[in-house]
Amino acid sequence: MNHVGEAPPSENHAKRFAGEEGAVWHPAPEIQQSSHLWQIMDLLDLESVEELHRFALANPERYYRTLIKHLGLTFSCPFDQLCDDSRGAPFPSWFPGGKLNIVDTCLRSDGEGGNGPAIVTVFESGQATASVSRSDFRQLTAQLASRLVATGIAPGDCVGLFLPMTIEAAVAFFACAWVGAIAVPCFSGYGPESLATRLKDCKAKLLVVASGFHRKGKWIEMADTARAALSMVACPPDVICVADPERAGTLPSNWRDWEVEIAAGALADPVDPVQTDPNHPLLLMYTSGTTGQPKGIVHSHAGFLLKCTADFALAFNVKAADRFAWATDLGWIVGPQMIVANAALGATSIFFVGALDSPDQEQMWRFCEQQEVTILGISPSAVRAMGAAEPTGPTERHDLSRLHSFISTGEAWDERSWRWLFEKVGMKRRPIVNYSGGTEIGGGILAAYAVLPMRECAFSGPVIGMGAEIIYNDTAAGAEPIGELVVTQPWPGMTHGFWGNDDARYLETYWSTFPGVWHHGDLATRDSSGWWYIRGRSDDTIKTSGRRVGPAEIENVLLLHSSVVEAAVVGAPDALKGQKIIAFIIAADGAEQSSGALSALVRARLGASMVPSEIYFIGSLPKTRNGKIVRRALAAAYAGEDAGDVSALANFDVIREVARARLR
């Protein structure tokens, strides 16, 4: 295991980063020269991104001090050293001796930062767009922080946030940080039991909830969900409600009103931001698993601030002039990342409350045009749906001239969808920044970079400073070499373990597969030119005839057929092969549902061993609200088994549809 300060190991490949071979997009030299990435290279007198990455791994102390200064991250008391890893790689203590509060960087009181609004919220329902200036954003946060202290919230207390992505969500998040409390964002689509499980596990002292919001033309009731959840908690927390004016009269009388609390905070004595140890918990994010209780991922003030701000600066090249939009949820790690990193970099965060495919697929592009979005986060699933609905693209009907780059995460790309976005929307001029990491990482492991050459569906290499490697395994005959994505040394931003000091479960989950190495659970490949690819989750791996194959490899071939809109592949028990390959297909409207044509395509591209044993045509796939396909739910529905925690699914009905298709 490489601990902080030691040089990284030698590799079979001379370079970890792809160069220009096979690239379909190249950045202009002037964009590179003005980027955060090039500025860091200049500060360290380095010649290439590859050299910068190797320097960051071999000399993390100097690298991160340089990065912190460049990004303007504020410590009220300087730290003595970067890291104390005396407890071993899984349990580093970062920036010992230092003190800080994240709000001193993100909500600057000195007037510095971008000139645009801090946050803009756009509502699907068509109600008036809301925005807040940077000074007002800080003031609202200070007022709520005063009320939190006055009502007994202390450092280390947990505060549940059950809210859509709105200005109030960001104010509540930073108000928790201001007083040293721990924000616990909860997915806005949770049912009562899922919400109650998290409130009980963290022993929340306060819940901030919204009445609800509109999504796809329907009112999503959050207050009733919260009320039902609280009835399941033995010691329920206090409640502050962001009340919809038309529904305020239906709320419980003991719930405090958001507007009243903010107004009272304006009259209260102000409180200074609590200066915390850098490892003091900032954020508790729950992730679902196939078995057992959801895992509470702990992130700290210094680590989360540095990791997500660095990723947004170096990989996405976010500047103060940017208007950054990403249709996400407060309960996904991208939500807090977006709140923190854009505030730290002075960019404007643009939140969309609702669904960007409602009332139609044009909603996304109307939104980008009206809000003059410059950077757009978008999922491959959303792109597949839009490409199927509008093959020629939206640019003739919408002015997207301010838009200069896309970001995607959460799932692997297929070539057809990537090329549609790049060619029909991006007009071959806008990069697609592929980004992959996770809740536990605090950001990314791999990235394409907005200022480096780009190849379809690929990553340029690791996020700077992440010791990413691939440990290869046996692969199906004729398939590409595939292996487990790992990280070989600690990094700021990594989780501080699981909530409740569940060290045994934490070590078993991430550190036991390859001793001393972080096992992330993603399947990855790297080609001879140095380009990296994610091929799905290793727990989705299909083991057929003693070999392993990632589902994305087969799905990408299926998606090449003109009749296929979406595809998902899973493994199912088979007495002869160990596992057989099962494919679920969403066909284009009016297209012939021909399993024979799809089988022939897979056979021609990948060989006979990769042809699905069964192909089912269904109406939808089980997805989270941010578009990620939950393959384990498909596999469980096919087998008639329990899928584990599926509380984040946006469409539960598909599970029954899969079961019915299996029985036909």
Side-chain angles (χ1 to χ4, degrees):
M1 174 67 197
N2 291 321
H3 295 282
V4 171
E6 297 179 7
S10 60
E11 298 183 78
N12 294 329
H13 295 272
K15 291 175 68 66
R16 297 189 190 206
F17 279 78
E20 299 194 18
E21 184 177 350
V24 297
W25 177 85
H26 296 81
E30 59 269 21
I31 293 176
Q32 289 183 321
Q33 293 299 325
S34 64
S35 69
H36 290 287
L37 196 57
W38 255 247
Q39 290 169 23
I40 292 294
M41 285 168 19
D42 288 344
L43 288 170
L44 293 169
D45 195 26
L46 300 172
E47 296 291 329
S48 69
V49 177
E50 172 69 25
E51 190 179 355
L52 173 63
H53 180 59
R54 291 187 180 279
F55 181 91
L57 293 176
N59 305 279
E61 182 89 28
R62 185 180 170 198
Y63 168 71
Y64 283 112
R65 285 186 182 273
T66 302
L67 186 60
I68 287 167
K69 184 176 181 180
H70 170 75
L71 296 174
L73 309 187
T74 302
F75 280 76
S76 58
C77 180
F79 53 91
D80 300 324
Q81 64 183 96
L82 175 67
C83 180
D84 174 3
D85 62 355
S86 57
R87 292 184 62 205
F91 301 104
S93 177
W94 296 98
F95 313 104
K99 293 283 186 181
L100 82 161
N101 190 299
I102 194 171
V103 302
D104 291 332
T105 293
C106 297
L107 308 179
R108 300 184 188 277
S109 59
D110 55 12
E112 295 184 1
N115 295 321
I119 298 174
V120 175
T121 303
V122 180
F123 299 90
E124 174 195 297
S125 60
Q127 68 189 85
T129 297
S131 66
V132 62
S133 68
R134 297 183 190 284
S135 60
D136 287 348
F137 186 32
R138 180 181 172 89
Q139 182 59 37
L140 288 170
T141 304
Q143 290 170 214
L144 182 59
S146 294
R147 287 300 296 158
L148 295 182
V149 171
T151 54
I153 299 299
D157 288 340
C158 287
V159 176
L161 305 180
F162 190 46
L163 301 157
M165 288 292 286
T166 58
I167 292 167
E168 291 85 356
V171 168
F173 179 91
F174 280 126
C176 291
W178 191 297
V179 304
I182 306 166
V184 187
C186 298
F187 171 51
S188 61
Y190 278 149
E193 186 172 348
S194 296
L195 179 59
T197 296
R198 288 148 178 84
L199 296 177
K200 287 187 288 188
D201 187 66
C202 72
K203 298 181 174 60
K205 289 191 66 176
L206 175 69
L207 174 66
V208 184
V209 62
S211 295
F213 62 98
H214 286 92
R215 178 177 172 82
K216 295 194 174 183
K218 298 180 180 179
W219 178 256
I220 305 299
E221 182 60 62
M222 299 182 76
D224 283 355
T225 299
R227 186 159 32 194
L230 294 172
S231 70
M232 305 176 190
V233 180
C235 296
D238 291 338
V239 178
I240 297 175
C241 185
V242 182
D244 181 88
E246 296 182 2
R247 294 169 173 79
T250 66
L251 301 175
S253 59
N254 63 332
W255 286 15
R256 290 142 52 193
D257 180 81
W258 173 275
E259 296 294 342
V260 172
E261 293 297 302
I262 293 293
L267 302 175
D269 292 334
V271 296
D272 293 329
V274 173
Q275 298 305 305
T276 72
D277 181 282
N279 302 281
H280 182 78
L282 165 75
L283 177 64
L284 178 56
M285 297 290 294
Y286 281 93
T287 64
S288 301
T290 55
T291 60
Q293 287 283 98
K295 305 183 294 289
I297 304 299
V298 181
H299 286 299
S300 61
H301 275 248
F304 190 74
L305 172 64
L306 175 55
K307 175 58 177 168
C308 64
T309 304
D311 285 9
F312 274 48
L314 300 184
F316 308 163
N317 199 35
V318 174
K319 301 288 189 67
D322 279 312
R323 293 172 63 84
F324 188 112
W326 201 330
T328 185
D329 192 274
L330 192 64
W332 307 127
I333 192 66
V334 170
Q337 276 186 293
M338 187 175 167
I339 289 171
V340 169
N342 286 335
L345 293 167
T348 298
S349 287
I350 306 179
F351 299 153
F352 187 89
V353 179
L356 277 168
D357 60 354
S358 177
D360 53 47
Q361 296 291 353
E362 295 287 301
Q363 177 78 297
M364 172 77 79
W365 312 119
R366 287 192 294 268
F367 165 70
C368 289
E369 179 180 14
Q370 292 165 2
Q371 294 302 319
E372 299 183 322
V373 172
T374 63
I375 301 175
L376 176 65
I378 190 169
S379 72
S381 286
V383 172
R384 278 193 286 274
M386 287 186 286
E390 188 58 61
T392 60
T395 53
E396 291 184 2
R397 297 179 303 281
H398 300 284
D399 179 6
L400 304 179
S401 57
R402 290 289 305 278
L403 184 62
H404 61 68
S405 57
F406 303 102
I407 305 163
S408 75
T409 193
E411 58 180 324
W413 277 101
D414 64 278
E415 184 176 337
R416 187 178 73 185
S417 300
W418 193 98
R419 283 200 168 272
W420 180 85
L421 182 64
F422 180 64
E423 296 172 359
K424 302 301 183 182
V425 184
M427 309 307 290
K428 300 184 180 180
R429 298 192 300 268
R430 300 177 177 97
I432 302 172
V433 182
N434 211 1
Y435 179 65
S436 183
T439 301
E440 309 89 328
I441 304 297
I445 299 175
L446 300 177
Y449 287 76
V451 297
L452 292 181
M454 201 159 291
R455 186 174 185 176
E456 62 267 20
C457 309
F459 300 87
S460 303
V463 171
I464 304 297
M466 296 295 294
E469 304 284 356
I470 301 172
I471 297 178
Y472 287 95
N473 302 285
D474 290 336
T475 307
E480 64 186 354
I482 194 167
E484 299 278 0
L485 181 65
V486 301
V487 185
T488 59
Q489 62 189 73
W491 66 96
M494 64 187 285
T495 179
H496 290 256
F498 294 164
W499 183 253
N501 298 315
D502 191 354
D503 291 352
R505 189 181 181 201
Y506 167 62
L507 292 170
E508 173 65 25
T509 302
Y510 299 113
W511 298 93
S512 63
T513 304
F514 307 107
V517 173
W518 175 280
H519 170 231
H520 190 57
D522 279 346
L523 296 172
T525 63
R526 185 169 48 182
D527 68 19
S528 59
S529 298
W531 299 99
W532 297 60
Y533 300 87
I534 293 292
R535 300 306 191 195
R537 295 288 296 172
S538 56
D539 51 11
D540 292 331
T541 302
I542 300 167
K543 300 175 183 177
T544 181
S545 301
R547 304 281 183 161
R548 291 159 51 93
V549 63
E553 186 176 5
I554 303 171
E555 291 165 1
N556 288 347
V557 172
L558 292 167
L559 286 162
L560 293 174
H561 199 280
S562 59
S563 70
V564 177
V565 174
E566 291 195 87
V569 169
V570 301
D574 183 84
L576 181 62
K577 298 179 180 180
Q579 279 189 309
K580 59 185 176 180
I581 299 168
I582 311 296
F584 297 92
I585 303 295
I586 298 177
D589 291 341
E592 180 184 0
Q593 297 183 4
S594 172
S595 57
L598 298 180
S599 296
L601 178 61
V602 174
R603 182 178 292 106
R605 292 287 185 127
L606 299 178
S609 63
M610 295 295 99
V611 174
S613 298
E614 299 169 29
I615 296 177
Y616 296 94
F617 293 90
I618 59 178
S620 61
L621 297 172
K623 296 180 182 178
T624 60
R625 192 179 288 172
N626 63 344
K628 185 184 296 186
I629 297 170
V630 184
R631 290 177 183 81
R632 63 178 167 82
L634 272 178
Y638 175 87
E641 299 172 350
D642 181 9
D645 183 0
V646 291
S647 56
L649 279 186
N651 51 342
F652 291 93
D653 290 345
V654 70
I655 302 300
R656 289 187 287 272
E657 183 183 359
V658 169
R660 288 195 298 269
R662 170 71 174 85
L663 295 173
R664 285 201 292 267

